[in-house]
Amino acid sequence: MDLRSWLPRAVDVIDEWAATFGPFTPHPSHQVDDDTFAAAYARFGKRLQDNYPFFHPRYAGQMVKPPHPAAVVGYLTAMLINPNNHAAEGGPATTEMERECVAGLADMFGLPAHAGHLTTSGTIANLEALYVARQAHPGKGVAYSADCHYTHERMCHVLGITGHRLPVDGAGRLDLDALRDALAGGRIGTVVVTAGTTGLGAVDPVHEVLPLAREFGARVHVDAAYGGFYALLAGTDPTIDTRPWSAIAQCDSVVVDPHKHGLQPYGCGAVLFADPADARHFTHDSPYTYFTDADLHLGEISLECSRAGAAAAGLWLTTQLLPLTPGGLGQVLAASRRAALRWAELIEHSTELRLYQRPDLDIVTYCPEPEPARLSVVDAASEALLRAGMNAADDPVYVSLLRVDAADFRRRHPEVAADADTARIARSVLIKPESEEYLGTLHDRVRHLVTANR
Ligand SMILES: *Cc1c(COP(=O)(O)O)cnc(C)c1O
C-alpha cells in the first residue's frame, strides 16, 4: 500500500462524513493561506532532516522504527475527527475499536476474562499495574530485577512503595534464589517479571517465578512492554522457550507496548489485568462524563483522562491486516528473531567482535574484541564503534550502547580483566524485519569499522 494514494483517501472519508452534517463557515482567526503554509512547511521539512534513519536497516540501535502505513492511515483518518477515548461519548467508534484491540491483546497472552485499556505509554501502563499492586497489598513492597526497566524503581517512588532490587543470573534473568529469600522475608506483595528486558532482551523465568510468588501470596506483574508480541511465536518457533510465555496467562497483570513491536506510532501502550475486579481500584465519578454508555467507560478504569482515540484506530486497522497470529504479525517478529540468531552466530565466529550473550529475543549485544583483554578497552572500543558508525557520512551505521557492571561482564567473559567498575558494550535492537536480509552488509560494515578504528 502506497501512502501517496491512501493519505488523500483519509481526507475524502472524513469530508464525506462531515458533509452529512451540513455546511458552516470556518472562523477566519485560524485561516492560513497556502503560500504562508508552504513557507513554514519548507522550514519544517528542513528541521526534520536532523534525524537518524530509523526506517533503514543500517540503523541498528535503539528500539525505534516507523509505524506501518496502515497505522499511519488509520491514525491520521481518526485524528481528523480527534476522538478522545477517555469516555464513550468522546468517541464511540474508537472506544469500540479499543475494546476489541484490548481483547485481542489479552487473547494473545491467553488471559481469560480481563480488564484493560490502551495507555499513552509503557511507563503509564506499568504505573497503573503497580498502583493496583499497591492497592491489593497495602504496605507491602515490590520486587524487581536489577535489569528491569528503570521505570519500576521510579514508579515505586512515585507511589510510595518500597522497591526491592534483586540480582540477575548469568543470562540477565531474575535470580530465583534471591527472589525466594526476598519473599520469605514477608515484605513483598508483588513481583515484577520482565518478558524481554530493555537492555538485553532477556526473558525472566515467569513459569518459575509464578509458583514461588503464589507460595508467598504475592501478585505477579509481567512487564512485556518490549517483548510481549513474541507471545505470538511461542509454540511455533522452536528457538523460543514456550514456558515463560505460557505462564503469563496465570499472572495478575501484563503490560505490552504496541508502539514498540506492534507497528504503531508513539502513544500506544497497554495494560491488562487478569481479574476484571481489579478495575474497582480505579473507581471514581466524574461530573462531566460517562453518560452515554452503561458499560464501564475506558476512563473509568484508567488513571489517564484524555487519550488519543486515533491510537486505537491505528492499532485496530493494522491488526485487520496483520492479525495477532503467528502467520500475521508473528511473521514480522520471526524475521527479527532469525536476524538476531544469525548475527549472534556470525559474531561468535568473527575475530573482530565478541558476543556478549546469546539473545533470548532480537536484541544483540556485543563488543569489539578487546586487545588487550581489559574492561576499559571494551568500553572505549564500543564507544568508538558508535561514533565511527554515525560519523561515517557516506556509509553510516548506527548502533547503541549498554552499560554493564564489571561482575556481569566477567560472569560471561572471565578472561577479560576488570580494570573498571562498568563498561559500555554495543547493543543492536533488530526490531525491523528488514534486518534479516541486510545482515551480511551490517556485519561486514561493523567489522570494518572495528578494524579501521583499532
Ligand atoms: C520501553 C519499556 C518500558 C517503558 O515504556 P515506554 O512506552 O517507553 O514508556 C517499560 N518496560 C520495558 C521492558 C520497556 O522495554
Side-chain angles (χ1 to χ4, degrees), residues 63 121-124 126 149 151-152 194 196-198 223-226 257 259-260:
M63 36 184 69
S121 67
T123 298
I124 297 296
N126 277 305
H149 196 279
T151 196
H152 295 286
T194 307
T197 56
T198 314
D223 182 1
Y226 181 69
D257 266 354
H259 68 205
K260 283 179 181 158

Side-chain angles (χ1 to χ4, degrees), residues 101-112 114 195 206 222-232 234 244-251 253-258 270-274 324:
C101 288
V102 166
L105 292 171
D107 205 42
M108 175 172 85
F109 292 114
L111 291 174
H114 61 272
V206 186
V222 186
D223 182 1
Y226 181 69
F229 289 97
Y230 270 97
L232 297 172
W245 298 100
S246 339
I248 294 178
Q250 276 92 53
C251 294
S253 50
V254 186
V255 161
V256 60
D257 266 354
V271 62
L272 310 164
F273 296 97
L324 301 179

